[in-house]
Amino acid sequence: MELLLLFLLGIMAGIVAGLFGLGGGILFTPILFVVFNDTGIAQPVVLTIGTSLFCTFIAALGSSIRQYQQHNFYWAEGLRVGLLGAMGVFAGKLVITSEYYSQQEFVIFFSVLLIYVAYMFYRRGTQLPKEISRSSSPLSLRESAVTGGLGGFVAALAGIGGGGVMVPLMNLWYKKDFVKSVSVSSLAIVLISLSGWGQLAFFNGETETLSSFSTGYVDFGAAFPLAVGGLLGGFGGALFNLRIKRRYLQYGFAVLAVAMAVKLLSEVF
């Protein structure tokens, strides 16, 4: 029953990944944190982050493959943003593996991030008619560095792919087309999340895990049903990205993000 539930939750997170370029981590992280915390794992934060980044990697890979099949793919920009994002991941890893990043700091940071994402998606919904005026011009090196660096740093701190930072930056700040921003973000997330869970899987640290199928701070046994569901959902989300009106979905996701923030805060405080 638990495996089926995780699988279904993974599908939902994967659909979000494909629709909005979020990599699914915005849902994977709270799901895993609640599961690890409720099973009595003493220090679940870094384990949550590493495991969520693995799930995010699978979901983003599926989303990028679908974007490629739809001929909505930007190799150069996605790779550049992703490689620069890997540097941000390394900086973030130094923070989360220090003694100063406890459960309280993690929950507060992630809850603030959820409220920020809720606001950005609400704002995105209210500005939907202006989408036609967005540009499809390539991201400059500076724009790629800011987008990838911030996305990677936040990815390491929160266990997400960084799309919640990168898509609004590209679309609202740098005025890039939304569909293109999602595609660039999805490919960048593949590299960012791969870098994140790879570094944490081989980090010299000891932690409790939920399953015996684990390495370092990545619990593959717990991640597998979420990752498989995320992969399937990612294909569906990317398919619908070009076909449906997103305004009410964005409003709905904003409400969901606030609800998740409240749930996380109730776990610790």
Side-chain angles (χ1 to χ4, degrees), residues 186-199:
S186 293
L187 180 55
I189 288 170
V190 172
L191 297 178
I192 287 172
S193 55
L194 174 62
S195 169
W197 73 259
Q199 291 182 56

Side-chain angles (χ1 to χ4, degrees), residues 3 7 14 53 55 62 164 187 194 203 212 224:
L3 291 179
F7 176 71
L53 285 171
C55 296
L187 180 55
L194 174 62
F203 186 79
S212 56
F224 185 72

Side-chain angles (χ1 to χ4, degrees), residues 257-269:
V258 173
M260 287 189 295
V262 172
K263 172 62 178 173
L264 280 178
L265 289 169
S266 70
E267 287 283 315
V268 174
F269 297 100

Side-chain angles (χ1 to χ4, degrees), residues 79-101:
L79 291 174
R80 185 166 62 237
V81 172
L83 290 172
L84 291 167
M87 298 183 192
V89 169
F90 179 76
K93 186 196 74 173
L94 299 178
V95 175
I96 66 172
T97 53
S98 72
E99 57 182 312
Y100 305 106
Y101 200 68

